[in-house]
Amino acid sequence: MRSYYIAGNWKMHKTTGEAVALAQALVTELASCKERVMIAPPFTALAAVAEVVKGTNLRLGAQNMGSELQGAHTGEVSALMLRDLGVSAVILGHSERRHSYHEDDALINRKVLLALEQGLEPILCVGETLEEREAGSLESVVGTQVREGLKNVSAAQLPAITIAYEPVWAIGTGKTATPLDADAVHAYIRVVLESLYGAEAARSMCIQYGGSVKPDNVAELMAQPNIDGALVGGAALKVESFGPIANFRA
Ligand code: PGA
């Protein structure tokens, strides 16, 4: 049976107490979930949430990490520190990092390589803005983000990576790409992956969709042949919405 990867990006929400309460509720709600599920609380809540999810089927993720392993990098959090807390996955190149914090493909690629080296599983986010889509440059933008993000990633390392296609105009806006539109971009990402790693690797790659995924649109999105999971923002903040998303096949 096909398996899906559903990840919750909590962004800059939840104090430690709130994060623990949500994680506890999700542990109960998703105890028999069929999918691979990851939650990414803010850095400040990782240690406490790690205790809650230990020994459960919920995986712990971080929303970002520094591009260096250690040293004089004020305000950064390193892969070593994340691993030490029991983090197994890390979201990299989210559009908010790209646009609000000016992270470019080269920096994101350094983080991807470092995460892999340190045994963390990256979710590499890619996606076009509305202007780029309307200017007809969707494929060149997304293609470049995939190629540059994966630069120097070996074929052996590829299975540890997930790609999340998140059209920027659909994030937090309530606008979702139609399932067919999203699937077409996922299919294009597989074409790019095939040119880099061959057909088999491209077929096996997990490609999540992100951008206003909700309980009422998740099933139709997941039914598309090239959509293998979801990266969820707003709807990941409540058990009442993330529960049914992750349990969409229950
Ligand atoms: P959203 O966010 O679900 O609130 O649109 C998705 C994301 O930014 O990963």
Side-chain angles (χ1 to χ4, degrees):
M1 189 173 62
R2 194 172 169 200
S3 102
Y4 293 87
Y5 182 14
I6 310 291
N9 173 10
W10 296 4
K11 305 193 180 182
M12 199 171 71
H13 294 284
K14 308 285 177 194
T15 59
T16 299
E18 292 165 348
V20 164
L22 176 55
Q24 281 167 339
L26 289 171
V27 164
T28 307
E29 183 72 16
L30 300 177
S32 50
C33 183
K34 295 188 177 75
E35 322 306 340
R36 185 153 63 113
V37 182
M38 180 273 263
I39 52 175
F43 287 133
T44 47
L46 282 172
V49 171
E51 289 304 310
V52 178
V53 300
K54 198 184 276 174
T56 74
N57 56 342
L58 296 193
R59 304 154 69 82
L60 187 62
Q63 300 172 19
N64 184 26
M65 68 172 219
S67 59
E68 308 295 328
L69 208 48
Q70 52 195 330
H73 302 286
T74 302
E76 293 292 281
V77 174
S78 113
L80 284 177
M81 300 163 188
L82 297 177
R83 279 222 357 243
D84 183 49
L85 292 177
V87 168
S88 59
V90 59
I91 299 168
L92 296 174
H94 189 278
S95 67
E96 287 148 20
R97 300 299 318 171
R98 291 179 189 265
H99 296 112
S100 307
Y101 301 97
H102 311 293
E103 293 198 6
D104 61 13
D105 286 323
L107 178 71
I108 294 160
N109 177 244
R110 277 214 301 285
K111 294 184 182 191
V112 168
L113 294 172
L114 186 61
L116 290 169
E117 231 175 77
Q118 293 302 314
L120 293 169
E121 296 175 354
I123 295 180
L124 171 63
C125 302
V126 301
E128 81 290 357
T129 63
L130 191 57
E131 297 74 58
E132 289 164 341
R133 174 174 275 248
E134 284 172 350
S137 40
L138 189 165
E139 291 195 351
S140 80
V141 168
V142 170
T144 301
Q145 290 173 342
V146 171
R147 273 188 216 95
E148 296 299 313
L150 296 178
K151 208 172 199 164
N152 297 320
V153 170
S154 70
Q157 289 172 311
L158 196 66
I161 300 188
T162 297
I163 290 183
Y165 169 59
E166 301 201 302
V168 179
W169 48 271
I171 296 178
T173 58
K175 290 183 195 153
T176 329
T178 68
L180 286 179
D181 278 350
D183 193 66
V185 182
H186 284 227
Y188 173 70
I189 292 171
R190 283 197 212 282
V191 170
V192 175
L193 291 169
E194 182 170 345
S195 73
L196 296 172
Y197 297 99
E200 184 45 43
R203 235 192 330 271
S204 334
M205 189 87 187
C206 174
I207 308 180
Q208 294 173 323
Y209 170 78
S212 299
V213 175
K214 305 279 184 257
D216 61 1
N217 62 21
V218 62
E220 205 190 340
L221 285 161
M222 296 308 117
Q224 303 306 312
N226 290 292
I227 301 183
D228 307 311
L231 181 55
V232 185
L237 296 172
K238 288 193 175 143
V239 68
E240 294 79 9
S241 42
F242 194 65
I245 290 175
N247 276 331
F248 76 98
R249 287 200 286 182

